[in-house]
């Protein structure tokens, strides 16, 4: 049977998405064949716009469409508290829990030998730069409660020792091995309130 090369190309592109295997990608590709020209154009426009408009906040690493993200740009945040999270979704979970009114710093991952993630891959240098140059009095290490998350927190705590800031780690309540963004708001609030002082 004739090979539909363009359909195969589309399937291969869709397979790059997380949790999409060959079968799902094929189903999506055939479904897109049924879309009319305008719907396809809208999808293409949406993809282009997302790529064009969204960038990382130069201060905290959060994704934003404005120059600085909403949190960094707000005059109503407590700029003496800085919460360090692995991923943007963790900061969003804290925002939704209404338990924290300070600033965030998004590392973009966790240190992991297994996955080849090292110091240079994460926003650690920019974190140290902020601690040095901003009005920060407390750094809350809210890396995820996994082995790699713990390692990352300890690594950062050591780097921060020489600076004049107090350092705390989220208290748990949070299940070990779990993800922060799966925790409910009450658990997040409690973990923030019950944070333990490292320094
Ligand atoms: Zn920001």
């Amino acid at each position: 049977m004739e090979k539909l090369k363009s359909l195969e190309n589309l399937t291969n592109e869709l397979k790059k998405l997380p949790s999409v295997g060959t079968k799902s990608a094929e189903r999506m590709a055939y479904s897109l064949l049924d879309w009319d020209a305008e719907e396809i154009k809208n999808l293409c426009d949406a993809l282009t716009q997302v790529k064009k408009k969204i960038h990382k906040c130069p201060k905290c690493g959060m994704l934003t469409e404005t120059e600085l993200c909403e949190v960094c740009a707000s005059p109503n945040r407590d700029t003496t508290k800085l919460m360090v999270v692995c991923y943007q979704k963790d900061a969003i979970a804290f925002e939704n829990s209404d338990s924290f009114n300070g600033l965030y710093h998004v590392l973009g991952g966790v240190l992991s030998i297994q996955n080849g993630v090292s110091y240079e891959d994460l926003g650690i240098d920019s974190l140290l730069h902020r601690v040095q140059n901003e009005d920060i009095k407390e750094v809350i290490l809210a890396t995820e409660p996994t082995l790699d998350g713990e390692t990352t927190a300890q690594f950062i705590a050591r780097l921060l020792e020489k600076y004049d800031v107090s350092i705390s780690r989220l208290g748990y309540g949070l299940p070990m091995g779990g993800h922060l963004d799966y925790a409910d708001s009450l658990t997040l609030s409690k973990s923030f309130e019950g944070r333990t002082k490292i320094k």
Side-chain angles (χ1 to χ4, degrees):
M1 207 165 74
E2 182 197 343
K3 225 177 178 187
L4 300 167
K5 194 76 192 125
S6 56
L7 196 73
E8 195 180 296
N9 281 345
L10 178 57
T11 305
N12 286 335
E13 291 307 314
L14 292 168
K15 258 164 63 178
K16 293 177 184 170
L17 292 166
S19 313
V20 178
T22 306
K23 282 277 158 239
S24 309
E26 275 171 6
R27 264 202 306 276
M28 287 183 202
Y30 275 105
S31 167
L32 285 165
L33 272 182
D34 292 334
W35 287 24
D36 65 34
E38 191 175 346
E39 284 174 309
I40 293 290
K41 185 184 171 299
N42 290 344
L43 176 64
C44 293
D45 285 351
L47 289 171
T48 312
Q49 289 300 317
V50 154
K51 196 66 195 162
K52 200 157 87 182
K53 288 192 173 160
I54 294 183
H55 61 272
K56 281 184 183 174
C57 170
K59 253 178 118 174
C60 72
M62 202 105 78
L63 294 176
T64 178
E65 289 189 346
T66 47
E67 195 189 333
L68 286 177
C69 75
E70 207 180 338
V71 172
C72 289
S74 167
N76 303 318
R77 308 290 298 207
D78 178 355
T79 56
T80 65
K81 287 189 172 60
L82 183 68
M83 183 179 284
V84 178
V85 293
C86 297
Y87 304 103
Q88 169 143 350
K89 58 189 169 68
D90 301 331
I92 292 169
F94 267 98
E95 279 303 281
N96 292 337
S97 77
D98 270 335
S99 57
F100 180 69
N101 189 42
L103 302 175
Y104 295 99
H105 193 84
V106 182
L107 295 172
V110 279
L111 291 174
S112 167
I113 298 168
Q114 207 180 352
N115 299 322
V117 181
S118 65
Y119 172 92
E120 295 82 28
D121 300 313
L122 304 177
I124 295 178
D125 274 338
S126 56
L127 169 67
L128 299 181
H129 186 264
R130 292 185 73 182
V131 170
Q132 247 174 323
N133 293 289
E134 293 179 29
D135 185 30
I136 294 158
K137 305 266 188 289
E138 180 183 0
V139 176
I140 301 114
L141 298 170
T143 52
E144 53 187 22
T146 59
L147 203 56
D148 286 339
E150 280 302 325
T151 308
T152 309
Q154 282 167 18
F155 182 82
I156 294 173
R158 268 203 304 278
L159 290 176
L160 289 175
E161 259 169 27
K162 61 180 173 188
Y163 298 103
D164 185 22
V165 285
S166 69
I167 307 166
S168 53
R169 178 87 177 104
L170 283 189
Y172 302 110
L174 295 170
M176 197 63 192
H179 294 285
L180 285 187
D181 60 324
Y182 289 156
D184 61 88
S185 293
L186 187 66
T187 307
L188 286 178
S189 304
K190 289 272 171 245
S191 71
F192 175 65
E193 282 164 21
R195 64 194 185 278
T196 46
K197 213 166 164 189
I198 297 176
K199 185 196 144 202

